[in-house]
């Protein structure tokens, strides 16, 4: 299990790339942060106010996770509760490659709260949910996004030459029954 608060350092540079803002939960609020979101409506101004009270430095950027370009490289990168919306292996590989490109040597990248393909029927556990999923599949509008198999992500990471480990979520996390985290470590 991950302890996102461990090894805290006020000089750590963090990039949070998400469709939903979860900086405080995932990484804490005492750091310099570049926050890249997929749409302006996803930027949580309340979080920004809370982090500013904590003396954090935040830059909000609206961009595409598959191809954004920043000059700075980061010690820690968090993409939380969003990876399922990159619905193909090629798109997932582009996102991970871009995150690795923006990581400093020795950096850690957390892909968090990923729907687990092995636990698909834990989530779709009723006729109503299955009916909804079938209807969404036909229309091409899947609210949940892709359920990833950990092996798919490990294969992508191996192809990029980075070390990765699947992290089972602790039971207190709200979606632990059908989601997992992936920790990627960039070599020094």
């Amino acid at each position: 299990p991950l302890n996102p608060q461990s090894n805290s350092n006020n000089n750590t540079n963090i990039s949070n790339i998400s469709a939903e803002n979860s900086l405080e939960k995932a990484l804490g609020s005492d750091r310099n942060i570049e926050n890249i979101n997929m749409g302006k409506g996803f930027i949580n101004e309340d979080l920004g106010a809370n982090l500013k009270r904590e003396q954090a430095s935040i830059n909000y950027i609206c961009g595409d996770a598959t191809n954004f370009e920043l000059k700075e490289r980061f010690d820690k990168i968090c993409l939380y509760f969003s990876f399922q919306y990159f619905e193909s292996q090629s798109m997932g590989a582009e996102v991970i490659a871009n995150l690795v490109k923006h990581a400093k040597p020795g950096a850690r990248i957390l892909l968090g709260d990923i729907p687990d393909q092995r636990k698909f029927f834990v989530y779709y556990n009723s006729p109503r949910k299955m009916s909804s999923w079938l209807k969404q599949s036909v229309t091409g509008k899947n609210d949940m996004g892709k359920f990833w198999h950990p092996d798919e992500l490990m294969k992508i990471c191996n192809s990029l030459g980075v070390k990765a480990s699947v992290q089972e979520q602790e039971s207190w996390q709200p979606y632990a029954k059908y989601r997992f985290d992936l920790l990627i470590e960039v070599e020094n």
Side-chain angles (χ1 to χ4, degrees):
L2 297 174
N3 179 357
Q5 299 297 333
S6 66
N7 301 323
S8 71
N9 174 342
N10 287 345
N11 296 319
T12 299
N13 290 323
I14 299 169
S15 177
N16 180 60
I17 300 159
S18 64
E20 189 171 289
N21 213 323
S22 56
L23 293 172
E24 286 181 305
K25 180 182 177 197
L27 299 170
S29 61
D30 61 341
R31 296 157 180 90
N32 296 320
I33 298 167
E34 294 287 338
N35 187 31
I36 301 165
N37 279 276
M38 292 165 33
K40 291 180 183 175
F42 290 114
I43 295 174
N44 182 331
E45 299 301 332
D46 291 336
L47 177 65
N50 289 338
L51 288 172
K52 286 183 187 210
R53 280 196 298 272
E54 299 289 332
Q55 305 301 319
S57 171
I58 305 170
N59 293 319
Y60 289 105
I61 302 166
C62 185
D64 181 341
T66 63
N67 65 11
F68 67 90
E69 181 62 47
L70 300 174
K71 292 178 184 174
E72 188 171 7
R73 299 300 176 250
F74 300 92
D75 303 298
K76 295 179 183 176
I77 298 174
C78 177
L79 191 150
Y80 205 85
F81 206 70
S82 303
F83 200 75
Q84 70 264 26
Y85 301 114
F86 305 110
E87 295 191 45
S88 69
Q89 254 193 312
S90 62
M91 187 179 278
E94 287 178 52
V95 170
I96 293 172
N98 202 32
L99 298 178
V100 169
K101 180 176 87 173
H102 284 85
K104 289 180 180 178
R108 296 172 66 171
I109 301 169
L110 174 65
L111 304 182
D113 227 26
I114 304 166
D116 190 337
Q117 186 182 73
R118 300 168 302 176
K119 300 174 183 174
F120 182 85
F121 291 107
V122 172
Y123 179 76
Y124 289 107
N125 60 0
S126 71
R128 183 184 59 79
K129 281 187 175 182
M130 281 304 298
S131 174
S132 174
W133 176 76
L134 287 169
K135 197 181 302 180
Q136 290 177 24
S137 296
V138 169
T139 62
K141 297 178 182 178
N142 185 348
D143 292 342
M144 277 296 290
K146 178 176 173 51
F147 276 66
W148 286 84
H149 194 288
D151 290 348
E152 291 177 281
L153 297 177
M154 295 300 288
K155 183 178 178 182
I156 291 169
C157 291
N158 287 337
S159 73
L160 295 171
V162 293
K163 180 181 170 189
S165 59
V166 173
Q167 309 285 312
E168 296 301 326
Q169 293 187 342
E170 293 187 32
S171 61
W172 60 265
Q173 292 180 277
Y175 308 115
K177 291 180 181 160
Y178 63 92
R179 290 180 180 254
F180 67 96
D181 299 330
L182 187 77
L183 181 62
I184 301 170
E185 298 179 68
V186 179
E187 298 273 327
N188 281 325

